[in-house]
Amino acid sequence: MRPGANIKSLEAQIARLEIKNSPGQANLWTTGGNYLRPKLTPLLDIHLKSNAELELDKGGSIQYVYIFSFIAVIILLIACINFMNLSTARSSNRAKEVGVRKVLGSSRKYLIAQFLTESTLVTLVSTFIAIALAVVLLPLFNQVSGKQLSFTPQSIAWLAPSLVVIVIVVGFLAGSYPALYLSGFRPIEVLKGKLSAGFKSSFLRSSLVVFQFSISIALIISTLVIYNQLNYIHNKSLGFNRDHVLVIKNTNVLGKQAESLKKELKQMPGVVSATMSLYQPTGDDRLKTGLFPNREIDVKKDILTEFWTVDEDYVNTMGLKLVSGRNFSKQMASDTAAVIVNEAFAEKFGQKDPLNKFVYRDFDHVQQFHIVGVLKNFHFESLRDKISPLALVYAPDNGAISVKVKTAGLTGLVSQIGDKWKQFSPNQQFSYSFMDQDFNATYHTEQRLGTLFISFSTLAILIACLGLFGLAAYAAEQRTKEIGIRKVLGATVSGIVGMLSMDFIKLVFISFVIGSPLAWFVMNKWLQDFAYRENIQWWIVAIAGIVAVLIAFVTISFQAIKAAIANPVDSLRSE
């Protein structure tokens, strides 16, 4: 492309060029129900932003890059909130230092600079620790994510400046509120001992705790929804039997001998059946064509259909179910012009019973096909996509051989099939896969997504709990003498634990009210990518709320119990 080229204008020019060179197909380039349209894609967008079939690279998804980048920022933000909360909660410990500095002439701007420098130094030390952890954990991350990331001179060249920016931004973000808060103390009140900074004294601190746990609860719900959807995919009936089907690939190199190999495989003791076709429900090879209900070709009535060439053993080997009609038969010569369609095609065809009707294909000349059977719908694409029209046509196809095998002695049988292959093609590699493995490979991205979500959710919850642990410890410390007096007056350990815990548990309940609708909205959007999905169940939200409350209670209780069982004599000695 020339620099500054108008992409939309060029696409329109290409369309006009197509019409000029194919005047008989000008109606294909209109905006009807079915139409063609040129679309130019930047080469660098293919990897993450293209979902076209037969693409140069299978690539990834920019959506997941955005999702995990967002989660990383959220986790970092939770850590910043912990720093703010703990710095301001323990502000009384530094109150006198601030008061003395101000009395001795230190201005507020210097105090702010001091506290911001402290938070930046903490961030800098954390960054070095993070780099070391990243180096150590990178192989594990690559294994879980299915990537091959590494530290190279090129990556370090942009990573080093980025880390400097992150250190400065995070240092100032985490230290800004504590710096403004601490530097704002009035010396006379501090030095008279009038400063009180208990847990209940800061609305902002409570709000930050709510924010932390809202995000944590949202992540818990998201993780459960993803797990539930993956479990639904794994257990959903696909309409075909993918178990113990071995697919021998590249059998086209055998030429006409591929049919002989299929016949000999069917005679082997451990083989149930075998079929020869390039197209499998779990394969990548697809062929779309237009089928028409009338001989007069009208593009507006075109049914865009998967068009698979198969043999008479295909339906039985794949475990497909016929709703009506019959399978192909070698004994019927007319079956070379026959097709078996699925229910999705019948629905598009517009007739309740399409049996014995005819469909037409415009391919060099108009071809006529007789519908002899209707298949129950089966999933030959990802569950992200709705089942589309499909037509099986009875024609030779030596692209691959699918073999239904028995479970007993499977390893030995695969070896025997390999030996049989070498008899036909000693110089060609025996390449095969199992259909259930091919199916699972289709959802590797979602499986990795689930694993990473669990990992990130656990990390976010752990960091939030560390902050809550610190705040609980400080709240208990601030109320040491109150707890001692209550115990002397007869308060029980359980009563004191409940008293100390209730303030925090209230915040977790508020977090649940905020976080659960947010998670429902986001995950409902994610589920929209699946044509077949498990809706978000009420029990998922309930479990997330219970888990969050239990985690918070366990975190708080450790400090609460420690304070409640302390000897009141020790806490009241100074009185």
Side-chain angles (χ1 to χ4, degrees):
M1 300 293 295
R2 291 177 180 173
N6 187 317
I7 304 300
K8 294 297 181 185
S9 174
L10 186 57
E11 288 175 343
Q13 291 178 55
I14 293 173
R16 288 195 292 269
L17 190 63
E18 291 282 358
I19 293 172
K20 178 182 176 182
N21 286 276
S22 306
Q25 295 182 329
N27 55 356
L28 287 174
W29 297 86
T30 60
T31 55
N34 296 296
Y35 63 94
L36 301 177
R37 180 174 57 195
K39 184 177 184 298
L40 299 176
T41 303
L43 190 64
L44 295 180
D45 284 356
I46 290 175
H47 179 67
L48 290 175
K49 299 179 182 178
S50 174
N51 59 356
E53 293 182 356
L54 304 178
E55 192 57 273
L56 291 173
D57 173 30
K58 290 190 180 294
S61 170
I62 191 66
Q63 180 187 28
Y64 292 147
V65 175
Y66 291 148
I67 288 173
F68 287 114
S69 298
F70 177 74
I71 292 175
V73 171
I74 289 296
I75 290 175
L76 188 58
L77 191 58
I78 290 175
C80 291
I81 290 171
N82 279 351
F83 186 87
M84 292 181 189
N85 274 337
L86 295 176
S87 295
T88 54
R90 301 190 67 84
S91 57
S92 59
N93 293 346
R94 303 194 67 177
K96 290 185 178 179
E97 173 194 345
V98 173
V100 171
R101 284 179 179 274
K102 282 195 169 184
V103 169
L104 295 178
S106 181
S107 65
R108 188 179 184 186
K109 65 178 181 180
Y110 290 119
L111 288 170
I112 291 174
Q114 174 194 340
F115 293 127
L116 287 177
T117 302
E118 289 176 3
S119 66
T120 303
L121 287 173
V122 170
T123 307
L124 182 62
V125 174
S126 303
T127 302
F128 287 118
I129 297 173
I131 292 171
L133 286 172
V135 171
V136 172
L137 297 176
L138 188 58
L140 176 61
F141 178 81
N142 283 337
Q143 181 180 351
V144 172
S145 64
K147 304 299 179 184
Q148 294 299 322
L149 304 180
S150 62
F151 289 101
T152 63
Q154 290 81 5
S155 63
I156 293 173
W158 65 264
L159 187 60
S162 301
L163 286 176
V164 172
V165 173
I166 290 173
V167 167
I168 294 172
V169 171
V170 172
F172 274 71
L173 178 65
S176 57
Y177 178 67
L180 294 172
Y181 181 77
L182 291 170
S183 63
F185 289 161
R186 297 178 61 184
I188 189 169
E189 292 181 355
V190 169
L191 297 177
K192 284 183 176 181
K194 293 184 178 180
L195 185 68
S196 175
F199 174 75
K200 294 182 180 180
S201 63
S202 175
F203 172 79
L204 178 61
R205 187 155 56 243
S206 299
S207 300
L208 293 176
V209 171
V210 168
F211 175 82
Q212 281 183 311
F213 270 86
S214 295
I215 296 299
S216 299
I217 289 169
L219 287 175
I220 293 172
I221 294 174
S222 301
T223 301
L224 291 174
V225 170
I226 291 172
Y227 173 81
N228 197 41
Q229 176 64 14
L230 291 176
N231 189 56
Y232 171 79
I233 290 172
H234 185 75
N235 294 308
K236 179 175 172 53
S237 174
L238 301 175
F240 68 94
N241 191 347
R242 67 182 185 270
D243 295 329
H244 305 107
V245 178
L246 183 146
V247 181
I248 305 173
K249 302 177 180 180
N250 304 321
T251 52
N252 59 303
V253 299
L254 302 180
K256 294 182 179 179
Q257 286 189 305
E259 179 66 31
S260 300
L261 174 60
K262 173 197 160 184
K263 289 179 180 178
E264 294 200 20
L265 290 174
K266 290 176 70 174
Q267 302 302 317
M268 296 178 68
V271 173
V272 178
S273 62
T275 182
M276 191 164 63
S277 174
L278 178 65
Y279 306 99
Q280 297 95 36
T282 57
D284 295 325
D285 293 290
R286 295 289 181 262
L287 174 62
K288 281 187 170 69
T289 192
L291 295 181
F292 300 85
N294 303 303
R295 185 176 290 276
E296 295 74 26
I297 302 302
D298 181 356
V299 70
K300 293 182 179 179
K301 296 181 180 179
D302 178 17
I303 303 174
L304 190 60
T305 306
E306 289 286 346
F307 197 73
W308 296 1
T309 48
V310 302
D311 61 17
E312 70 279 1
D313 295 311
Y314 190 87
V315 171
N316 291 331
T317 303
M318 297 299 172
L320 305 180
K321 306 296 183 186
L322 280 166
V323 177
S324 60
R326 62 175 178 83
N327 192 11
F328 297 123
S329 173
K330 265 191 172 184
Q331 281 67 45
M332 300 189 69
S334 61
D335 275 3
T336 55
V339 292
I340 299 175
V341 299
N342 67 349
E343 292 173 311
F345 181 92
E347 182 180 347
K348 290 278 187 181
F349 192 63
Q351 297 200 23
K352 189 173 182 180
D353 185 9
L355 270 183
N356 300 316
K357 303 295 190 299
F358 293 92
V359 291
Y360 302 87
R361 184 186 185 210
D362 186 13
F363 187 73
D364 292 335
H365 64 281
V366 177
Q367 298 173 320
Q368 177 180 284
F369 295 96
H370 176 214
I371 299 177
V372 298
V374 178
L375 287 171
K376 185 175 179 60
N377 278 340
F378 67 96
H379 293 276
F380 53 87
E381 294 175 311
S382 167
L383 292 182
R384 290 179 178 275
D385 305 312
K386 193 171 181 179
I387 296 175
S388 59
L390 169 73
L392 304 182
V393 58
Y394 189 43
D397 185 343
N398 61 359
I401 297 177
S402 301
V403 185
K404 180 74 173 177
V405 297
K406 296 177 181 178
T407 55
L410 185 58
T411 304
L413 180 59
V414 172
S415 179
Q416 292 174 35
I417 293 174
D419 293 338
K420 185 68 69 176
W421 169 270
K422 290 177 183 178
Q423 292 176 18
F424 282 85
S425 183
N427 298 321
Q428 295 288 341
Q429 183 180 0
F430 175 54
S431 177
Y432 71 94
S433 66
F434 281 94
M435 195 170 282
D436 55 350
Q437 294 173 348
D438 293 338
F439 172 80
N440 292 336
T442 306
Y443 299 98
H444 272 175
T445 299
E446 280 75 20
Q447 290 168 352
R448 287 196 297 264
L449 175 69
T451 303
L452 290 173
F453 240 107
I454 292 171
S455 303
F456 286 143
S457 298
T458 303
L459 181 60
I461 294 166
L462 178 63
I463 294 173
C465 287
L466 286 173
L468 199 61
F469 184 83
L471 286 177
Y474 185 71
E477 180 184 328
Q478 290 290 91
R479 303 175 72 173
T480 299
K481 289 183 173 60
E482 176 192 344
I483 293 169
I485 294 171
R486 286 179 179 275
K487 289 192 71 175
V488 169
L489 295 177
T492 62
V493 172
S494 60
I496 293 173
V497 170
M499 176 194 70
L500 294 174
S501 302
M502 192 51 61
D503 289 333
F504 293 100
I505 297 300
K506 287 178 184 176
L507 298 181
V508 176
F509 275 114
I510 295 172
S511 302
F512 176 75
V513 173
I514 296 172
S516 52
L518 175 65
W520 184 91
F521 175 77
V522 173
M523 294 316 298
N524 193 52
K525 286 285 186 184
W526 179 74
L527 286 172
Q528 296 304 313
D529 287 342
F530 294 88
Y532 302 91
R533 56 186 176 268
E534 188 74 77
N535 292 325
I536 302 175
Q537 304 294 325
W538 67 268
W539 57 264
I540 289 179
V541 179
I543 287 176
I546 293 170
V547 168
V549 171
L550 286 176
I551 290 174
F553 184 74
V554 170
T555 302
I556 299 162
S557 294
F558 180 83
Q559 293 293 348
I561 293 172
K562 181 180 176 182
I565 62 176
N567 190 339
V569 174
D570 296 331
S571 59
L572 297 173
R573 191 184 301 276
S574 61
E575 296 296 316

